[in-house]
Structures are given as C-alpha cells and as structure tokens.
C-alpha cells in the first residue's frame, strides 16, 4: 500500500488511447467505443438474473416497464458521469473529495465500498452457480474457486485498456447470443410483452423486486467507473474536441446500455414465458430455472447456454468491479494498493457472506441473497446520483458544458424516483422491525442508523447549494463598490498561544510565533495530553506520558525564558479541540499559532478537522503554519 498523490484516474491507462489523430468515418467512432461496454456488464451481472427471473416468474411481463425505466435512468446517469470525466478530467470520487468535508467523504467512501462488495457478492454467487450447473461441482467449492479469477484480471491489465475492452465485448456477445437463442426457442407472446411496457401499481412484493431490479440495473459504482474510464481517451482540450468526445460517448453508452437492456428483458421475458405462463410462479432460484428450461423448451442446448452466459456475466462484471474499487479508493483516500491485493481483498469480502449463507442455510437461500445484494445496491444509489447531478450542473466548474435546464429537471426527477422508492422500501421494512418483538437494543441501533443516513443525505444534497450561494455572495461583494481604505493599523498582540505536540515541528511553530511579537509579549505554550489515563482522569492523570509531557513543556519554557521571553505553560487533557479552545480563552490569548501536518488520505479524516473546529470557535487571529 502507498500514498497516491496524482490527480489522474487509473493513471496506468490514463489517456492511453489517442483520439486526436485524424480519422474518418467509423474509425473515428471506434476510437471512443469501449468504456460504456465495460460499464454495461454491470447491468447484466448475475444479480440482474436473480431479480429478472423472480420478476418474470412471479409477475409475468408486468415488470418490463420497470426494466425500461431503469435502462432510461441508467442511460441518462451514465451520460452525465461520462460528461463529468470528459470535461473536468475528474472521476466522481475525486470530485466529491474536492467539495465535501472529510467526514461526509468518508461516509460516502464506505457506502461506495459497500456497493462494490454487494456487486461482487452477486458475481461470486453467479459464477459459482454457473460452474455448478455446468460441472455439477458443489456450490460451496464453486464459490471458493472464484478467488482464482483474480489472476485473470492481472493478465488482462498487462495488455492495456483496449485489450480488456475487447475481452469484455466478447463476453457481452456470448451473453447476448445465448439469450437470443433462448428467446427463439421460448416464442413469447409479443402482445403480452408489449403490454408489459405499460406502468402498473406495485404491491409490496413487487416493489421489493422492482427496487432490486433498479438496484441491479442502475449501479452506483458504475457512475464512479464511467467517469474514470472516459479519461483513458486522450482528447483535444478545446471546445470542439470536448463536444466530439461527449457526442461519441453518448453513442457508445446508448449502444452498450441498450444491449444490456436486451439481455435483462430477455431474462425476464424468458422467465415469464417459460415459468409464469406454465404455472411455475414459485421459480425464484437460478438453479430451478436451469433445470426447467430443457423439459419446458425441449432443447438440451438451452440449459447449457444459460449456464455459459451466467459464467460470462459473472466474469465480465468482476473485472469492472475491481476497476471501480481502485477508482473509489484512490479518489476518496488517495491510497493505492497492488491490484492483485485489492482484487483478492474484495473477493474475500464477497465470499465470506456467501460461504456463511451456504453453510448455515444451504443452497436454497443463495438466490435470496442475490436479490438482497441488489436491494443494498439500490439503497446506495442516491448517495452517488445526487452529487453527480450537482457537479455536472455547476457552471463554475463545467463552464458551457454544464447540463441544460431540461436535462437537469430530468436528472432530479430520476433522483427523486430512486430516493422515493428506497425510502418507501426502507420505511416498510423498518416498520416491521419496530412493530415486532425485537429487542429494544436493535430497535435503537436501527433508529440511530436511520438518523445517520438522513443526516448524510441532507448534508450531501444541500451542502453544494449552500456553498454555491456563498460563492455568489462573495462574488457580489468582490465586485461591489470600491471600499475606501481607512485605518489599516492592527493592534499588536500581547499574548500569543502556541499549540505544541513535541515533534520536530515545535521549533518552527515557536519561531513563527516569536516573529509575530517581541520580548514584551507573553507566549503561552500549551499541549493536550491524549494518553488513556489522561482521557479518563483529566488533571488527576499521573501516568508516564503525562509526566513526560509536563517536563517537556517546562523545558521549552526554561529555554525561552533564558532568551528573555515571557512564558506561561498550560496542559490540557482529553479532547484536543475543546482543550485548545478552553486554554486560549482562559489565558486571554489574542492570537493562536497552530501547525498543519498536511495529512492526506485516511489520516485527514481523523486529524484534519482539528484546525477547522478550533479556528471557527475562536474570534482571535489563528496563524496556521505548514510543518
């Protein structure tokens, strides 16, 4: 693992495909074709299979309109994601990091990782089921074997992004061809299929499946992925070059996502034709669907192609999930770990719940776990979609490429629909818990979790709007009437506080403090002890660390007093922020000097808010020294 400081998404392949060289006709379009196909495989992964099969078997063709709506949503959101990457050369994670405070970003990072883990869980189960259907190998062993596909990703990565795209497109062709053959055998009723495109009211069970379909179709990690993949194309930075890139990527997305819609629709129509119309409405498992295909369709090839397509879907999705994980980690935390280790960790996290469910409940619950993973994905959607809409609507950063009003209205309508469906589902499930005999402790935990989600959602939604209003006010102030400069004299500080941490940076802090004053100024040396004993006992603490810290502070005081400076010392305990504020106020300091250690990544979330909290709480000047 190492710290990652570059601004480039997927820096190994960043701008590795040159689209600026002169090309004509189809060759010009082909230079841009590829990123959307890597994204599209996430829309036809095994999680989709589970939700589509259950939807078709239980409700016939009635949920086709949900698939269509999901596909249109996906097309709009993926085009916005591509626009963000093309215009700003930032992926969604990087853009979030630049706008939101550390705590919000950390929460968004955790949610993004959960979405990737849920997606990978579906891929693990799908590939394991496919291997079981083809070879008869027990599901538990098929699940363990999926660890080996880590090495396939490493092999493909060595050959560059174009070879990886070609491999993914081949898998997509295999999946599409398999289902084209299945539909030809099934001979669905075209009139009934057309009726399925008409929206209908959903009961609770249908809503659960519908939310799973949306979660399986519009995947949050794909928004991170697409905004990074478009940056693998080197484009002209002028207006014409950016417009061309946006136009060709929309074409790429339209073709790829419509192919994904065909696959999803084919699965649902196949389930509705073969199972719902024959009375097999309880078919909810992929294994059951596989076993019934041959007797109901009268073809030995049908179940074989079904299993092959399932393996292809799982394998293609697992590659793109790894890329998404790399993008999220680098964008939010600015950390990079070796690709094989990242892949292995992601896969092990996904395998753990699959193995537990199989061992405890048997193979029968695997498909329920698949659907549940897609519902988890759907619940993360709002936390990726809303920031994306904010970013591509911002004229300050997007310039003339900010989306127009009608696109903005459509995007917010999609976000509202997604949030409404998720809130309704969560509300119904939460009410069941509160209305049951579950222990009060779990009800309290659920209540706190809901409150945390509400806080994060409101902050994520409205903070960019608040920041925009502040910028407008600052701009109005900046361009207002010229202020007549009057008295420019600043009252000389007489008591300067210095926050010390007993590192090599202390000398630099004291030097800057001395430069602000003179020998008549009183310098207040302060330090906050953070040992376990100090946290619990406060001033009564007398452990080794507390005693040493007091001695260090007195040592500094003695050295400075020998140079003719007036010195006071104060020791604080427990909370760093609260104690610094307390000591400064009680000692009546009129200036504070603090050090900024320039933490990045995970440390920034832990330590980065101290300076912000302190300076906002104090009315006096605060000098921040980079150390």
């Amino acid at each position: 693992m190492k710290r990652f400081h570059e601004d480039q998404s997927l820096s190994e392949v960043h701008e590795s495909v040159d689209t600026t060289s002169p090309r004509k006709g189809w060759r010009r379009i082909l230079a841009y074709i590829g990123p959307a196909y890597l994204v599209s495989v996430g829309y036809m992964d095994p999680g989709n299979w589970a939700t589509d099969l259950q939807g078709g078997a239980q409700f016939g063709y009635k949920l086709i309109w949900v698939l269509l709506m999901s596909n249109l949503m996906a097309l709009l959101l993926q085009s916005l994601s591509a626009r963000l990457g093309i215009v700003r050369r930032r992926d969604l994670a990087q853009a979030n990091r630049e706008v939101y405070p550390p705590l919000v970003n950390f929460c968004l990072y955790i949610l993004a990782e959960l979405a990737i883990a849920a997606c990978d869980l579906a891929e693990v189960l799908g590939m394991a089921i496919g291997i079981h259907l083809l070879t008869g190998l027990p599901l538990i062993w098929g699940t363990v074997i999926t660890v080996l596909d880590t090495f396939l990703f490493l092999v493909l990565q060595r050959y560059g992004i174009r070879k990886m795209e070609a491999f993914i497109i081949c898998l997509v062709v295999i999946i599409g061809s398999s289902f084209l053959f299945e539909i030809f055998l099934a001979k669905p009723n075209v009139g009934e299929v057309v009726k399925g495109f008409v929206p209908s009211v959903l009961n609770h069970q249908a809503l659960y499946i519908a939310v799973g379909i949306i979660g399986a179709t519009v995947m949050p990690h794909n928004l991170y992925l697409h905004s990074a993949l478009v940056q693998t194309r080197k484009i002209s930075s002028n207006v014409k070059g950016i417009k061309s890139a946006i136009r060709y990527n929309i074409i790429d997305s339209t073709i790829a996502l419509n192919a994904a819609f065909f696959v999803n629709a084919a699965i649902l129509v196949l389930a509705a034709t073969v199972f719902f119309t024959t009375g097999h409405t309880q078919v909810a498992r992929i294994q059951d669907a596989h076993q019934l295909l041959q007797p109901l369709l009268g073809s030995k090839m049908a179940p074989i192609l079904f299993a092959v397509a399932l393996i292809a879907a799982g394998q293609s999705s697992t590659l793109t999930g790894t890329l998404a994980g790399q993008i999220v980690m680098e964008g939010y935390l600015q950390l990079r770990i070796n690709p094989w280790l990242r892949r292995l960790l992601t896969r092990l996290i996904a395998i753990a719940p699959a193995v537990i469910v199989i061992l405890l409940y048997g193979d029968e619950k695997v498909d329920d776990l698949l659907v549940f993973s897609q519902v988890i994905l759907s619940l993360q959607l709002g936390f990726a979609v809303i920031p994306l809409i904010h970013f591509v609507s911002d004229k300050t950063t997007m310039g003339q490429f900010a989306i127009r009003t009608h696109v903005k209205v459509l995007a917010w309508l999609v976000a509202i629909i997604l949030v409404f469906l998720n809130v309704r589902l969560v509300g119904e499930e939460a009410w069941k818990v509160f209305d049951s005999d579950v222990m009060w402790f779990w009800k309290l935990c659920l209540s706190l979790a809901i409150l945390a989600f509400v806080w994060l959602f409101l902050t994520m939604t409205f903070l960019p709007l608040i920041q925009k209003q502040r910028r407008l006010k600052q701009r109005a102030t900046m361009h207002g009437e010229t202020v007549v400069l009057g008295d420019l004299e600043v009252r000389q500080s007489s008591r300067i506080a210095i926050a010390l941490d007993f590192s090599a940076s202390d000398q630099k802090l004291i030097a800057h403090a001395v430069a602000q004053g003179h020998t008549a100024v009183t310098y207040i040396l302060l330090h906050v002890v953070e040992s376990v004993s100090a946290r619990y006992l406060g001033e009564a603490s007398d452990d080794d660390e507390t005693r040493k810290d007091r001695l260090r502070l007195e040592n500094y005081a003695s050295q400075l007093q020998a140079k003719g400076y007036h010195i006071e010392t104060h020791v604080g305990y427990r909370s760093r922020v609260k104690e610094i504020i307390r000591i400064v106020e009680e000692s009546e300091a009129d200036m504070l000097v603090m050090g900024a250690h320039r933490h990045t990544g995970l440390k920034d979330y832990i330590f980065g808010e101290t300076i912000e909290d302190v300076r906002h709480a104090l009315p006096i000047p605060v000098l921040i020294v980079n150390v």
Side-chain angles (χ1 to χ4, degrees):
M1 183 183 295
K2 61 181 180 180
R3 187 72 57 201
F4 178 62
H5 292 292
E6 296 181 30
D7 318 355
Q8 300 174 345
S9 297
L10 301 174
S11 57
E12 302 92 341
V13 291
H14 186 79
E15 295 189 349
S16 58
V17 181
D18 190 359
T19 65
T20 59
S21 56
R23 292 182 176 88
K24 294 183 179 180
W26 282 101
R27 293 186 64 190
R28 181 184 301 176
I29 299 177
L30 289 174
Y32 293 93
I33 294 294
Y37 283 93
L38 266 67
V39 170
S40 71
V41 297
Y43 293 89
M44 57 182 86
D45 75 345
N48 295 71
W49 290 48
T51 54
D52 294 340
L53 281 172
Q54 287 196 21
Q58 293 180 31
F59 304 102
Y61 306 104
K62 290 182 180 180
L63 295 182
I64 295 179
W65 70 272
V66 176
L67 270 179
L68 178 62
M69 181 180 70
S70 301
N71 188 67
L72 295 175
M73 288 179 178
L75 188 55
L76 173 63
L77 296 176
Q78 294 299 160
S79 66
L80 297 184
S81 175
R83 180 180 290 261
L84 175 68
I86 292 168
V87 176
R88 291 189 55 187
R89 310 308 283 176
R90 288 283 187 276
D91 60 55
L92 183 56
Q94 291 172 331
N96 277 335
R97 184 177 176 84
E98 292 173 357
V99 171
Y100 293 109
L103 180 59
V104 173
N105 269 316
F106 185 68
C107 293
L108 293 176
Y109 165 71
I110 295 298
L111 290 176
E113 288 285 15
L114 283 174
I116 293 169
C119 182
D120 205 47
L121 172 61
E123 292 148 11
V124 164
L125 294 173
M127 286 191 62
I129 293 170
I131 293 171
H132 169 70
L133 297 179
L134 269 184
T135 65
L137 195 69
L139 205 57
I140 187 69
W141 290 111
T143 302
V144 175
I145 287 173
T146 57
V147 176
L148 300 177
D149 74 1
T150 302
F151 302 104
L152 177 61
F153 173 77
L154 297 177
V155 172
L156 289 172
Q157 196 177 39
R158 291 182 179 180
Y159 290 100
I161 193 68
R162 292 297 271 177
K163 299 295 189 299
M164 186 179 293
E165 289 170 354
F167 178 76
I168 293 295
I169 290 173
C170 289
L171 293 177
V172 171
V173 170
I174 291 172
I175 299 167
S177 302
S178 299
F179 278 103
L180 186 63
F181 181 77
E182 304 270 9
I183 290 294
F184 176 77
L185 292 176
K187 297 181 176 61
N189 186 319
V190 178
E192 292 296 323
V193 172
V194 172
K195 289 181 181 178
F197 286 93
V198 179
S200 57
V201 179
L202 304 177
N203 59 30
H204 177 72
Q205 183 60 28
L207 175 66
Y208 185 82
I209 299 295
V211 172
I213 288 174
I214 293 172
T217 306
V218 191
M219 288 190 170
H221 73 278
N222 271 342
L223 301 178
Y224 292 96
L225 181 64
H226 206 172
S227 59
L229 287 175
V230 293
Q231 297 179 53
T232 61
R233 269 54 180 176
K234 182 180 180 181
I235 63 173
S236 301
S237 57
N238 54 38
V239 173
K240 183 180 178 182
I242 294 175
K243 283 184 176 179
S244 295
I246 291 173
R247 182 171 65 253
Y248 288 128
N249 273 284
I250 289 176
I251 295 172
D252 185 31
S253 298
T254 302
I255 296 172
L257 294 184
N258 280 331
F261 171 69
F262 165 77
V263 171
N264 284 309
I267 297 171
L268 192 144
V269 169
L270 182 68
T273 305
V274 178
F275 307 131
F276 181 78
T277 58
T278 58
H280 295 82
T281 57
Q282 298 305 312
V283 174
R285 301 172 64 237
I286 292 176
Q287 297 96 314
D288 296 338
H290 176 267
Q291 293 172 3
L292 289 171
L293 280 176
Q294 181 174 342
L296 293 177
L297 292 179
S299 170
K300 293 183 179 180
M301 282 298 295
I304 295 175
L305 289 175
F306 185 86
V308 169
L310 182 58
I311 293 174
Q315 185 58 69
S316 57
S317 300
T318 197
L319 298 176
T320 57
T322 302
L323 289 175
Q326 179 181 338
I327 292 160
V328 165
M329 179 173 283
E330 291 178 6
Y332 279 118
L333 303 184
Q334 292 186 310
L335 285 176
R336 170 176 292 176
I337 62 177
N338 289 329
W340 68 269
L341 182 58
R342 166 80 208 185
R343 182 74 210 113
L344 189 61
L345 287 174
T346 306
R347 182 45 52 98
L348 290 176
I349 291 171
I351 283 177
V355 170
I356 291 171
V357 169
I358 292 171
L359 291 177
L360 293 181
Y361 301 103
D363 298 354
E364 292 75 14
K365 294 294 182 180
V366 167
D367 286 78
D368 291 337
L369 188 59
L370 268 174
V371 175
F372 178 70
S373 72
Q374 302 313 296
V375 173
I376 292 294
L377 277 174
S378 184
L379 295 177
Q380 315 298 325
L381 267 176
F383 296 97
V385 170
I386 290 176
L388 175 63
I389 299 173
H390 278 307
F391 298 146
V392 294
S393 303
D394 188 359
K395 292 184 179 179
T396 304
T397 54
M398 296 291 289
Q400 69 182 84
F401 299 103
I403 57 175
R404 297 180 180 180
T405 303
H406 68 280
V407 179
K408 194 185 302 184
V409 170
L410 281 175
W412 280 113
L413 183 61
V414 167
I416 290 170
I417 291 172
L418 293 174
V419 171
F420 170 75
L421 288 175
N422 290 325
V423 168
R424 180 179 167 185
L425 179 65
V426 171
E428 290 180 357
E429 294 297 324
W431 180 254
K432 288 181 180 178
V433 174
F434 289 124
D435 199 38
S436 65
D437 296 329
V438 176
M439 288 178 58
W440 66 267
F441 174 76
W442 296 114
K443 292 181 180 179
L444 177 62
C445 290
L446 179 59
S447 301
L448 292 175
I450 292 173
L451 288 175
F453 267 83
V454 170
W455 165 81
L456 179 61
F457 179 79
L458 293 177
T459 304
M460 174 198 67
T461 303
F462 294 107
L463 183 61
L465 298 176
I466 295 171
Q467 291 175 337
K468 184 178 180 180
Q469 289 301 316
R470 287 176 180 171
R471 289 198 303 267
L472 291 175
K473 287 181 180 179
Q474 290 174 353
R475 189 178 303 171
T477 305
M478 186 186 306
H479 297 290
E481 295 183 3
T482 304
V483 177
V484 178
L485 299 176
D487 184 12
L488 298 179
E489 185 177 351
V490 176
R491 186 171 65 88
Q492 186 70 37
S493 297
S494 61
R495 295 177 65 80
I496 299 177
I498 313 168
L500 304 170
D501 62 0
F502 301 137
S503 67
S505 61
D506 285 350
Q507 181 171 320
K508 190 174 182 180
L509 287 176
I510 294 172
H512 276 82
V514 168
Q516 303 297 315
H518 46 80
T519 53
V521 170
T522 299
Y523 297 94
I524 302 156
L525 308 184
L526 67 92
H527 174 73
V528 180
V529 184
E530 296 182 285
S531 66
V532 175
S533 173
R535 288 179 182 275
Y536 283 96
L537 300 177
E539 293 182 6
S541 173
D542 194 36
D543 64 341
D544 186 60
E545 182 177 340
T546 304
R547 289 195 296 270
K548 285 183 178 179
D549 285 351
R550 289 170 180 160
L551 287 174
R552 290 189 185 102
L553 209 56
E554 291 300 329
N555 182 270
Y556 280 161
S558 299
Q559 293 182 59
L560 290 169
Q561 286 168 349
K563 296 178 183 292
Y565 294 104
H566 301 282
I567 304 296
E568 292 180 10
T569 60
H570 294 271
V571 178
Y573 306 90
R574 299 190 177 98
S575 168
R576 183 191 298 115
V577 173
K578 291 181 180 178
E579 286 294 272
I580 291 175
I581 295 169
R582 179 187 65 80
I583 293 171
V584 169
E585 290 177 342
E586 290 181 359
S587 62
E588 298 182 347
D590 47 23
M591 176 179 281
L592 171 64
V593 179
M594 297 181 68
H597 291 270
R598 293 176 287 175
H599 291 303
T600 57
L602 186 59
K603 287 185 179 180
D604 187 38
Y605 296 109
I606 301 172
F607 303 113
E609 295 186 350
T610 302
I611 291 174
E612 291 298 308
D613 291 343
V614 169
R615 74 179 184 85
H616 283 303
L618 293 174
I620 63 174
V622 179
L623 174 62
I624 308 301
V625 180
N626 279 332
V627 294

